[in-house]
Amino acid sequence: MEATYLPNPNDSNATILLMGLRRGGKSSICKVVFHDMQPLDTLYLESTSKPTSEQFSSLIDLSLMEIPGQLNYFEPEYDSARIFQSVGALVYVIDSQDEYLNALTNLSMIIEFAYKVNPKIHIEVLIHKIDGLTEDYRIDAQRDIMQRTGDELLDLGLEGVQVSFYLTSIFDQSIYEAFSKIVQKLIPELPSLENMLDNLVQHLSIDKVFLFDVNSKLYVATDSSPVDIQTYEVCAEFIDITIDLDELYVDENGEQTNKEIKSISRLSNHSLLYLRQMIRGLALVALIRNDDENLNDMDSMLTVVNYNVNLFKQALMQMWQNSKFVKKTNDVNESLSVDRLH
Amino acid sequence: MSSRKKLLLMGRSGSGKSSMRSIIFLNYSAFDTRRLGATIDVEHSHLRFLGNMTLNLWDCGGQDVFMDNYFSSQKDHIFKMVQVLIHVFDVESKSIKKDMEIFVKSLTNLQKFSPDAKIFILLHKMDLVQIDKRDELFSMMMEKLQNISNPFQFKLVGFPTSIWDESLYKAWSQIVCSLIPNMNLFNNNLIKFNQILDAEEIILFEKTTFLVISSTSSIKQQKQPDLQDEETLDPKRFEKISNIIKTYKQSISKLRTNFHNLVIRGSNGTHFYIDILTDNLFIMIVLKDKQLTDSTYVSSHEELVVLENIKAARKWFEKIENGK
Ligand SMILES: Nc1nc2c(ncn2[C@@H]2O[C@H](COP(=O)(O)OP(=O)(O)OP(=O)(O)O)[C@@H](O)[C@H]2O)c(=O)[nH]1
Ligand SMILES: Nc1nc2c(ncn2[C@@H]2O[C@H](COP(=O)(O)OP(=O)(O)O)[C@@H](O)[C@H]2O)c(=O)[nH]1
Ligand SMILES: [Mg+2]
């Protein structure tokens, strides 16, 4: 691999390649997840005809590349081999409301090619637009698609290839859930991050904690307890509530101090929602249980939480500085982002 | 205080009456209103407001069959003892003549049965009008309606509204405040409270609807009103806050719970406290960092002090609510 590696200006980015037949929902997914577009507004999206690429900066820098369905990437003018080599994840979108047999043939062809040039590539299949399907039909479609894909790969002699499947729709949280998991696989520090979060959960009476990318509401890490979709939604919406209120009183002509945002809400069932801004557009959001009604205990508990979250943040900063994704060329950005914390 | 207040919600079918009622009083989202069917005859709702006030809201279905009855056999039943008439016009209406006809009939009956009633006009579904045309359309319509009302000696108060933005909260806050007899007591006490706190802003919200009841700006600004011109804060912020907090309430209802308070330390050294003040009121206090140093100890200490102050103020405001 190393020998054929071509210098690429974006090589410090983790690249996600979005593929699939046309009208499958690729552009819609990009717009909804990364540009805050309302799901219904995607009806007016024009069909994409050229490959597009966008950069996002989160804990890691992400490139998202969309390749339109009607394009034949195996034509010589596209250096497909080079593209696939630098890609971290291939996300293939299948329209589950449509006849999908063609898509499956297309998918195995792409997997065969991608795997050959880059055996480390993560292959992620979105069984998309499931909002139109009944619960039973969803399960059937998933089983059928997994079965057929498996058979095709077997025929191609690729039985070792790992393929992950997700049921998704832009009309609910499922697309965020799926993309969160896809992005997480590209973060080399994920195991240590999860460890640190598990530590927090163990020492404080935390029900669930997420490390969110504020912009997209994807979570780049969470503790190891299962994700309950309702808790995820409440935590993600808590970010919006906090930011929306904060922005109302930011005087645009005044100086911007950019202090760390912190938000705590006490709920009637004695739980707490807790938010702290981290580095690089991230925020930690936790749902903290508190069975004790005593206010003073609550305050001493908060002191402990604050202390531990401070430690977490410091560890995060350190981790990021040592991260292999930070190249010398990024030094300028790095100091900028760190400045913002003070 | 005898405090049953009768509010009539009038307007042609489809103008949006039930939609706004559901959003303000029943926690619907704007999106949910698409499910509403036409109202059959009159739908009554009794809403407790600020403790001992009851709002009797008469949502009068606007289809012609029902309207005809309101103005004939049912007219004394409908128009007697009315405190407030809220007349809703769909700005995109295709039959303005008919709209005006209904309006004149309402005025005629109101003058006869409740001549002291206040009238609010909501020019509704403004979201459907191009942004730069809205002001002009609004003043034109209001002028026309006021001219129609002059012979009846009614003075109209009008608002442009839409369920898709915060304008609805502004209109309803003012409608409801017009019914609160001791409004100036709330205002005065809020100012007193701010002399203790020295906050940038304090706002009182009714607890179930999150409508704004009263507010006060910083003491400094009150002494030098010209400072206000330099202020670049969003003039629609109160309504936006109502909207945001309602969204928050709806969000945490997924955890089958409600919220007690919310404390935010913002990006620009602004601190927000939203807390329960009385059984019927929420308070929001906006404070600015006084000193530039930012030690966590100091700020968490300050948080406690503010929350304690809110507790102490509770007694005052409970008294006002009970009309003492
Ligand atoms: N675009 C837009 N649509 C609105 C607005 N308010 C209400 N609507 C829509 O208008 C339709 C009719 O609203 P209703 O509230 O049922 O009307 P109504 O006045 O109660 O009608 P009747 O009960 O028959 O008198 C609903 O589909 C609402 O979603 C608004 O501000 N903007
Ligand atoms: N029902 C439903 N429709 C979707 C979903 N995602 C995308 N669509 C619709 O699918 C159509 C094609 O989407 P587009 O993003 O242009 O597809 P692309 O060609 O793969 O980029 C649009 O009309 C979208 O509104 C989904 O989750 N559910
Ligand atoms: Mg109705």
Side-chain angles (χ1 to χ4, degrees):
Chain A
M1 286 298 298
E2 231 66 286
T4 55
Y5 192 76
L6 287 165
N8 178 328
N10 295 326
D11 67 356
S12 71
N13 291 359
T15 303
I16 296 178
L17 197 59
L18 258 181
M19 298 181 91
L21 301 186
R22 62 186 299 270
R23 307 296 295 159
K26 299 180 292 296
S27 310
S28 310
I29 292 171
C30 287
K31 292 288 180 207
V32 170
V33 175
F34 293 99
H35 296 276
D36 254 346
M37 186 185 265
Q38 289 302 310
L40 276 174
D41 292 341
T42 61
L43 282 172
Y44 311 110
L45 281 179
E46 303 251 336
S47 187
T48 328
S49 56
K50 279 207 217 87
T52 56
S53 172
E54 292 181 285
Q55 256 80 47
F56 300 96
S57 176
S58 178
L59 183 64
I60 57 171
D61 289 320
L62 276 183
S63 283
L64 195 61
M65 237 166 128
E66 182 184 342
I67 300 202
Q70 57 273 49
L71 210 73
N72 188 352
Y73 359 87
F74 302 113
E75 271 172 23
E77 60 187 288
Y78 288 101
D79 191 351
S80 311
R82 212 194 82 176
I83 293 177
F84 280 108
Q85 265 159 20
S86 58
V87 159
L90 162 70
V91 177
Y92 193 89
V93 182
I94 296 177
D95 182 348
S96 68
Q97 293 187 15
D98 202 14
E99 184 52 57
Y100 52 71
L101 289 183
N102 279 337
L104 293 182
T105 317
N106 183 243
L107 169 64
S108 15
M109 197 168 73
I110 292 172
I111 293 180
E112 186 188 20
F113 182 79
Y115 189 69
K116 228 183 264 159
V117 289
N118 180 0
K120 277 194 279 186
I121 197 167
H122 294 281
I123 296 166
E124 322 275 6
V125 176
L126 304 187
I127 303 169
H128 192 57
K129 305 195 192 178
I130 50 150
D131 49 280
L133 311 182
T134 63
E135 197 67 43
D136 286 349
Y137 196 86
R138 287 176 195 181
I139 311 278
D140 286 349
Q142 182 176 21
R143 191 180 306 125
D144 189 46
I145 288 173
M146 286 171 74
Q147 178 78 48
R148 286 175 192 273
T149 312
D151 289 351
E152 296 241 16
L153 291 181
L154 210 68
D155 289 349
L156 295 167
L158 292 170
E159 50 277 290
V161 182
Q162 283 289 322
V163 184
S164 310
F165 295 87
Y166 309 82
L167 293 168
T168 58
S169 160
I170 52 172
F171 288 95
D172 59 33
Q173 300 302 325
S174 55
I175 191 66
Y176 292 91
E177 177 88 19
F179 247 87
S180 294
K181 289 188 177 143
I182 291 168
V183 170
Q184 281 168 27
K185 288 191 195 166
L186 303 178
I187 301 176
E189 293 87 354
L190 185 72
S192 2
L193 274 177
E194 286 180 338
N195 248 326
M196 280 156 59
L197 291 171
D198 275 337
N199 249 322
L200 278 183
V201 169
Q202 264 168 30
H203 289 96
L204 313 166
S205 49
I206 289 180
D207 262 352
K208 189 73 199 160
V209 56
F210 295 98
L211 192 58
F212 270 104
D213 176 48
V214 168
N215 203 14
S216 61
K217 307 291 181 312
L218 298 179
Y219 57 94
V220 298
T222 181
D223 64 283
S224 52
S225 70
V227 176
D228 159 53
I229 206 79
Q230 243 116 41
T231 310
Y232 164 81
E233 278 178 31
V234 171
C235 289
E237 283 159 358
F238 193 54
I239 298 176
D240 281 333
I241 305 284
T242 301
I243 290 178
D244 288 352
L245 279 174
D246 183 45
E247 279 177 355
L248 282 181
Y249 285 86
V250 170
D251 180 354
E252 257 152 43
N253 302 332
E255 47 173 334
Q256 312 277 304
T257 50
N258 279 318
K259 295 193 175 163
E260 177 203 74
I261 298 178
K262 178 179 164 190
S263 171
I264 299 174
S265 181
R266 217 160 282 196
L267 309 180
S268 310
N269 61 4
H270 309 303
S271 302
L272 281 183
L273 274 170
Y274 182 98
L275 177 152
R276 275 282 287 282
Q277 189 178 5
M278 297 280 128
I279 56 169
R280 309 217 64 187
L282 300 180
L284 177 137
V285 186
L287 182 64
I288 305 176
R289 214 173 37 240
N290 177 47
D291 305 319
D292 207 332
E293 289 183 40
N294 195 323
L295 194 75
N296 288 328
D297 285 358
M298 184 86 110
D299 288 318
S300 57
M301 188 257 285
L302 264 181
T303 312
V304 181
V305 172
N306 282 331
Y307 177 79
N308 280 282
V309 173
N310 280 344
L311 290 183
F312 176 84
K313 185 167 175 176
Q314 276 160 21
L316 194 63
M317 282 160 76
Q318 214 142 49
M319 181 187 276
W320 176 63
Q321 264 156 13
N322 300 335
S323 151
K324 59 174 113 167
F325 285 104
V326 183
K327 293 273 159 77
K328 289 225 162 51
T329 48
N330 285 359
D331 276 353
V332 188
N333 291 336
E334 178 184 327
S335 57
L336 269 181
S337 315
V338 176
D339 270 347
R340 259 190 295 160
L341 297 171
H342 300 302
Chain B
M1 278 194 303
S2 133
S3 26
R4 294 176 84 73
K5 312 280 184 188
K6 177 170 167 185
L7 290 81
L8 284 188
L9 201 45
M10 282 275 177
R12 297 288 305 285
S13 182
S15 58
K17 301 179 294 297
S18 307
S19 303
M20 52 177 78
R21 173 173 68 105
S22 312
I23 289 174
I24 299 287
F25 298 103
L26 303 176
N27 266 326
Y28 275 48
S29 70
F31 202 78
D32 295 336
T33 63
R34 298 191 177 163
R35 293 200 313 255
L36 290 169
T39 307
I40 307 300
D41 211 24
V42 182
E43 263 179 42
H44 300 268
S45 30
H46 306 278
L47 308 147
R48 295 196 49 82
F49 195 83
L50 277 189
N52 51 11
M53 198 155 100
T54 311
L55 302 183
N56 285 344
L57 197 57
W58 295 40
D59 178 358
C60 306
Q63 296 179 58
D64 291 344
V65 260
F66 307 129
M67 282 281 181
D68 291 344
N69 278 332
Y70 306 152
F71 300 129
S72 54
S73 55
Q74 294 183 306
K75 61 185 172 195
D76 50 341
H77 172 61
I78 300 262
F79 288 95
K80 239 195 240 162
M81 314 256 290
V82 174
Q83 257 84 26
V84 167
L85 167 71
I86 301 155
H87 206 107
V88 183
F89 290 90
D90 177 349
V91 287
E92 286 275 273
S93 166
K94 297 282 173 309
S95 46
I96 300 183
K97 223 179 119 197
K98 184 88 193 176
D99 295 348
M100 294 301 167
E101 233 172 76
I102 300 276
F103 182 53
V104 170
K105 282 185 187 162
S106 297
L107 292 178
T108 314
N109 284 289
L110 202 64
Q111 193 197 33
K112 186 158 167 217
F113 294 101
S114 303
D116 293 329
K118 298 187 177 99
I119 302 183
F120 291 94
I121 303 293
L122 303 187
L123 298 182
H124 193 58
K125 304 198 187 179
M126 269 295 170
D127 56 287
L128 300 175
V129 179
Q130 233 179 291
I131 294 187
D132 53 339
K133 302 254 163 66
R134 289 180 193 169
D135 284 347
E136 190 189 341
L137 176 74
F138 179 72
S139 11
M140 195 190 76
M141 285 280 286
M142 282 311 296
E143 194 183 322
K144 193 160 148 195
L145 293 170
Q146 184 60 59
N147 283 339
I148 294 177
S149 316
N150 282 338
F152 301 93
Q153 254 115 61
F154 283 117
K155 177 97 192 65
L156 307 180
V157 179
F159 295 99
T161 55
S162 160
I163 56 170
W164 293 105
D165 61 36
E166 57 287 335
S167 57
L168 197 64
Y169 287 91
K170 178 172 184 158
W172 278 87
S173 280
Q174 307 231 0
I175 292 172
V176 166
C177 282
S178 78
L179 292 168
I180 301 173
N182 43 1
M183 265 311 289
N184 54 344
L185 278 181
F186 280 110
N187 294 335
N188 292 342
N189 271 286
L190 216 50
I191 293 173
K192 258 198 236 161
F193 191 34
N194 202 12
Q195 275 155 3
I196 299 169
L197 280 175
D198 194 19
E200 292 298 295
E201 190 147 76
I202 309 184
I203 311 166
L204 288 187
F205 297 93
E206 200 276 332
K207 200 170 149 191
T208 42
T209 56
F210 250 86
L211 295 175
V212 176
I213 301 296
S214 175
S215 71
T216 181
S217 54
S218 74
I219 308 284
K220 198 172 86 199
Q221 215 172 72
Q222 288 170 23
K223 287 191 182 139
Q224 293 163 268
D226 45 312
L227 264 181
Q228 223 130 12
D229 301 331
E230 289 168 34
E231 195 58 57
T232 46
L233 289 178
D234 187 342
K236 290 183 182 159
R237 64 188 178 283
F238 292 177
E239 296 82 61
K240 287 186 177 162
I241 295 167
S242 298
N243 218 346
I244 294 170
I245 302 294
K246 272 213 155 172
T247 312
Y248 181 44
K249 275 172 73 169
Q250 223 163 26
S251 169
I252 54 176
S253 70
K254 288 177 207 152
L255 301 176
R256 281 179 290 300
T257 184
N258 214 320
F259 82 99
H260 257 296
N261 66 18
L262 173 61
V263 178
I264 299 175
R265 196 175 66 197
S267 58
N268 242 18
T270 315
H271 298 231
F272 303 85
Y273 298 83
I274 300 176
D275 198 358
I276 295 177
L277 183 62
T278 68
D279 289 344
N280 311 296
L281 291 174
F282 265 99
I283 190 165
M284 168 151 154
I285 299 173
V286 183
L287 286 168
K288 267 245 156 24
D289 260 351
K290 295 292 177 318
Q291 70 278 47
L292 286 168
T293 50
D294 183 11
S295 116
T296 336
Y297 170 73
V298 174
S299 63
S300 82
H301 176 71
E302 187 187 281
E303 274 169 27
L304 280 179
V305 172
V306 174
L307 292 175
E308 282 302 315
N309 270 324
I310 293 175
K311 252 199 218 158
R314 193 159 292 157
K315 281 196 298 288
W316 296 356
F317 286 96
E318 274 170 355
K319 265 194 199 148
I320 307 176
E321 276 178 14
N322 298 328
K324 281 171 203 146

